[in-house]
Amino acid sequence: KQEVTQIPAALSVPEGENLVLNCSFTDSAIYNLQWFRQDPGKGLTSLLLIQSSQREQTSGRLNASLDKSSGRSTLYIAASQPGDSATYLCAVGGGQAGTALIFGKGTTLSVSS
Amino acid sequence: ETGVTQTPRHLVMGMTNKKSLKCEQHLGHNAMYWYKQSAKKPLELMFVYNFKEQTENNSVPSRFSPECPNSSHLFLHLHTLQPEDSALYLCASSHPTPETYGTEAFFGQGTRLTVV
């Protein structure tokens, strides 16, 4: 059974810091990995999608990497801002999940000004 | 706006009520999903529909009944729910193909359900 773990569960940083969020998964037979952002009480906003054949994806200040063989992904946020405060969710698709996604519990980020 | 719209945004219902959640996607996708998000737990996959056919029921109690009349609309019919069913219910869509099985999923804003 695919399990997704995100570390740390919570993170507080001052504005301007670069930070790394970690995601690990137990079954490497995935088709893709997707990072989402969720604001309190809201839905999920897709940040980055990495296909299983790719090593990384970048969007603005965000960079996500994927090491499929070791079952790991990282989300790097450069020059953090208070507006980055949210919960970040990692999800993997494929294998036992089929076309659906299996999620971690998320990392709640707080960036202070 | 992600192209996936859920209604209502908030719902309070009694344990004997019958209600329905609606999801509509405007992205031309062929797969739709229901997820449940409870406090302190990861999102739980409930149902999967591919080309209007239900391909997965993740051991969900029968008091939750999905319906997918076409590839753009998805419903979740609720009846005789329990207080522990209170949660955020999220709908998502994607467009997997044999060439691009792992496609990007888009989520709606969710329905916050409270069972009293």
Side-chain angles (χ1 to χ4, degrees), chain A residues 21-89:
Chain A
L21 308 182
N22 297 291
C23 172
S24 62
F25 47 95
T26 55
D27 183 357
S28 62
I30 64 170
Y31 290 109
N32 63 1
L33 184 143
Q34 198 165 347
W35 282 94
F36 294 89
R37 168 188 173 136
Q38 185 175 32
D39 293 292
K42 300 294 180 67
L44 277 62
T45 299
S46 178
L47 297 174
L48 290 164
L49 169 72
I50 309 178
Q51 301 289 358
S52 61
S53 59
Q54 298 174 324
R55 297 284 293 183
E56 66 177 341
Q57 284 287 333
T58 298
S59 176
R61 295 183 292 108
L62 305 179
N63 176 276
S65 67
L66 173 64
D67 185 340
K68 184 180 168 183
S69 60
S70 68
R72 295 177 186 276
S73 175
T74 61
L75 178 66
Y76 175 82
I77 302 177
S80 57
Q81 303 171 357
D84 295 330
S85 299
T87 296
Y88 291 80
L89 296 165

Side-chain angles (χ1 to χ4, degrees), chain A residues 34 36 46 49 99, chain B residues 2-5 23-33 49-53 68 70-74 91-97 100 102-108:
Chain A
Q34 198 165 347
F36 294 89
S46 178
L49 169 72
T99 64
Chain B
T2 65
V4 181
T5 303
C23 176
E24 184 175 2
Q25 58 97 359
H26 314 278
L27 302 168
H29 288 170
N30 58 19
M32 297 185 76
Y33 315 85
Y49 277 83
N50 284 287
F51 295 102
K52 303 185 300 178
E53 298 295 323
C68 189
N70 55 61
S71 58
S72 298
H73 293 85
L74 184 65
C91 172
S93 71
S94 68
H95 195 77
T97 68
T100 57
T103 60
E104 190 171 12
F106 293 89
F107 281 75

